[in-house]
Amino acid sequence: FLLAPLTARVAELMDRSFVALNARDSKEVAVAVFRREDRTVLPVIETDGRLVGIITADDVLDLAEAAATEDIQKIGGMEALDEPYLQISFPRMIRKRAGWLVLLFLGEMLTATAMGFFEKEIARAVVLALFIPLIISSGGNSGSQASTLVIRALALGELTLGDWFRVLRREFLSGLALGSVLGSIGFLRIAIWSGFSDTYGPHWLLVAWTVAGSLVGVVIWGTLSGSLLPFALRRLGFDPAASSAPFVATLVDVTGLVIYFTVAAFILRGTLL
């Protein structure tokens, strides 16, 4: 403007090379654009290119904080509160927490159903029941880890839907490594304890291999479920944060029991089963 002739029209000076936010962009898009362009202020335009306002860096900080708070609350297994904790009314907070809690409770009831399905195996080899909390908690914890990592990576733009296979391969290897570590610890625990006690009976070695093998399988399944569920939700148009850690843990609890008793039936056939 300063160097152009006074007779020049504004349209002649425009090169159409600028960064702007659309008035209909989400807050996540606004935060991502500011992070990518490293600007302190950006124009906001309509779809026809008409300027309707500006947004500044301090506005984006508020948006980023609100978006992060919403995601953290969803990861915790509840609806976003949309208000400060001490300001939201008690009945409204209960409504936002009860829905997911009831859904997770109903999901956990499937764990009891799965245990009922393997009732005969538990009755014949009571020692297997000792390791059920160990197995399902390991799978749930590994799934929660993977889910949290992928949800945050998607939110930061580090991952896109096209990266699902790379994540699948990476988490399979991670699950194999982590499961092997936990399986080794479980095997050693049973082996060492059996040197001082007959708690695990004469077939303690087979029980140890059952627990170790189940841990490897359950942890692999947990990491795969936790890492791919956010991709599935994003593909369906939902918020990946909805695949919260409690939801993944509930899913892996049920399927972990199936893996555990399947491995037990294979290894302990002809002895305890």
Side-chain angles (χ1 to χ4, degrees):
F1 280 108
L2 293 176
L3 300 178
L6 296 178
T7 57
R9 298 174 61 85
V10 173
E12 299 172 359
L13 304 179
M14 296 174 62
D15 60 4
R16 298 289 178 181
S17 177
F18 63 91
V19 179
L21 292 170
N22 190 283
R24 293 169 177 77
D25 285 338
S26 65
K27 55 189 176 184
E28 289 82 5
V29 171
V31 173
V33 172
F34 264 84
R35 183 186 300 115
R36 183 181 68 244
E37 300 296 334
D38 197 22
R39 303 293 181 88
T40 58
V41 61
L42 283 176
V44 179
I45 61 174
E46 280 288 359
T47 53
D48 59 359
R50 179 168 46 87
L51 179 68
V52 294
I54 64 170
I55 184 169
T56 59
D58 57 329
D59 297 325
V60 174
L61 287 175
D62 294 337
L63 291 176
E65 182 181 35
T69 300
E70 181 179 323
D71 286 345
I72 290 171
Q73 290 173 346
K74 288 182 178 179
I75 289 174
M78 57 181 288
E79 292 184 46
L81 294 183
D82 302 325
E83 295 181 58
Y85 176 79
L86 292 178
Q87 295 181 16
I88 188 171
S89 66
F90 184 77
R92 191 156 180 259
M93 183 176 66
I94 295 301
R95 286 198 301 271
K96 285 183 173 292
R97 295 171 64 174
W100 269 106
L101 202 58
V102 170
L103 183 61
L104 293 171
F105 178 75
L106 294 175
E108 286 291 358
M109 290 177 67
L110 296 176
T111 303
T113 303
M115 291 185 67
F117 183 79
F118 294 105
E119 182 180 0
K120 294 181 180 179
E121 285 80 358
I122 295 176
R124 294 176 60 183
V126 180
V127 67
L128 294 178
L130 299 176
F131 300 100
I132 289 177
L134 173 72
I135 299 295
I136 62 177
S137 64
S138 297
N141 291 338
S142 62
S144 299
Q145 283 185 341
S147 175
T148 302
L149 289 173
V150 172
I151 289 171
R152 190 56 181 164
L154 286 170
L156 294 176
E158 298 173 356
L159 292 175
T160 63
L161 288 178
D163 294 320
W164 72 269
F165 185 75
R166 294 175 60 192
V167 173
L168 171 67
R169 182 176 56 191
R170 187 180 184 89
E171 287 302 319
F172 175 81
L173 295 176
S174 297
L176 180 61
L178 295 170
S180 298
V181 171
L182 297 183
S184 299
I185 295 173
F187 185 94
L188 289 174
R189 196 274 189 194
I190 295 173
I192 294 173
W193 194 266
S194 296
F196 304 94
S197 170
D198 61 351
T199 302
Y200 306 121
H203 302 292
W204 65 266
L205 184 59
L206 293 179
V207 173
W209 280 116
T210 298
V211 171
S214 298
L215 281 170
V216 173
V218 168
V219 171
I220 290 176
W221 170 244
T223 56
L224 292 180
S225 301
S227 60
L228 294 182
L229 192 56
F231 282 101
L233 290 177
R234 171 66 67 84
R235 185 68 182 85
L236 295 173
F238 298 110
D239 188 348
S243 62
S244 57
F247 183 76
V248 173
T250 301
L251 172 65
V252 177
D253 282 355
V254 179
T255 52
L257 283 175
V258 176
I259 294 173
Y260 177 40
F261 285 105
T262 300
V263 173
F266 177 77
I267 295 179
L268 299 177
R269 182 181 292 114
T271 54
L272 292 178
L273 297 179

